[in-house]
Amino acid sequence: PRAPQTGAVVTWVNHATFLVQLPSMTVLIDPVYSERASPLSWTGPKRVHAPGVPWEKLPKIDVVLVSHNHYDHLDIDTLANLEKRDRPLFFVPRGDKKLLSDTGITQVEEYTWWE
């Protein structure tokens, strides 16, 4: 997918992951690139389909939005890899900043419902 000159391009990546490309920024929503939706790499629900946008084809991500902290929406390994690769700003629900900070993610803002 390519960023638009005007408007927005929204690409469904898989499950709850969406790539939103705007002229001024790129947003990734609920990114999950791990093989399993689990805190353990060897157990838990396994991915059925590969992501529609492979990791190596993802553009630079400016903002990551995490809707809630279920394992199929908050994949800490993917978030840590995004931090290393792009250092985006992360928006997370109230109470999840510590979880990301403990992983070494530095630019995290917490919000409650409707903020």
Side-chain angles (χ1 to χ4, degrees):
R2 296 188 188 273
Q5 296 293 326
T6 62
V9 173
V10 179
T11 304
W12 177 62
V13 176
N14 206 338
H15 187 60
T17 305
F18 285 85
L19 177 67
V20 180
Q21 294 173 285
L22 305 166
S24 61
M25 74 174 69
T26 301
V27 180
L28 196 57
I29 301 171
D30 289 343
V32 175
Y33 274 80
S34 294
E35 282 300 309
R36 294 186 181 272
S38 170
L40 306 170
S41 63
W42 51 272
T43 189
K46 191 171 183 182
R47 176 181 291 287
V48 176
H49 301 284
V53 179
W55 178 262
E56 50 281 348
K57 299 265 183 173
L58 269 180
K60 180 184 182 302
I61 304 300
D62 302 299
V63 174
V64 174
L65 172 65
V66 177
S67 64
H68 62 286
N69 65 3
H70 291 170
Y71 294 116
D72 61 335
H73 293 259
L74 192 160
D75 176 8
I76 202 70
D77 289 339
T78 297
L79 300 182
N81 287 331
L82 284 165
E83 171 73 8
K84 288 178 201 166
R85 193 186 88 159
D86 298 333
R87 297 199 29 87
L89 174 60
F90 293 82
F91 292 107
V92 300
R94 176 90 48 215
D96 289 337
K97 181 175 183 175
K98 182 175 179 352
L99 178 65
L100 274 66
S101 296
D102 288 350
T103 307
I105 297 172
T106 57
Q107 297 185 94
V108 183
E109 292 191 23
E110 291 184 314
Y111 291 92
T112 59
W113 287 101
W114 310 115
E115 282 191 294

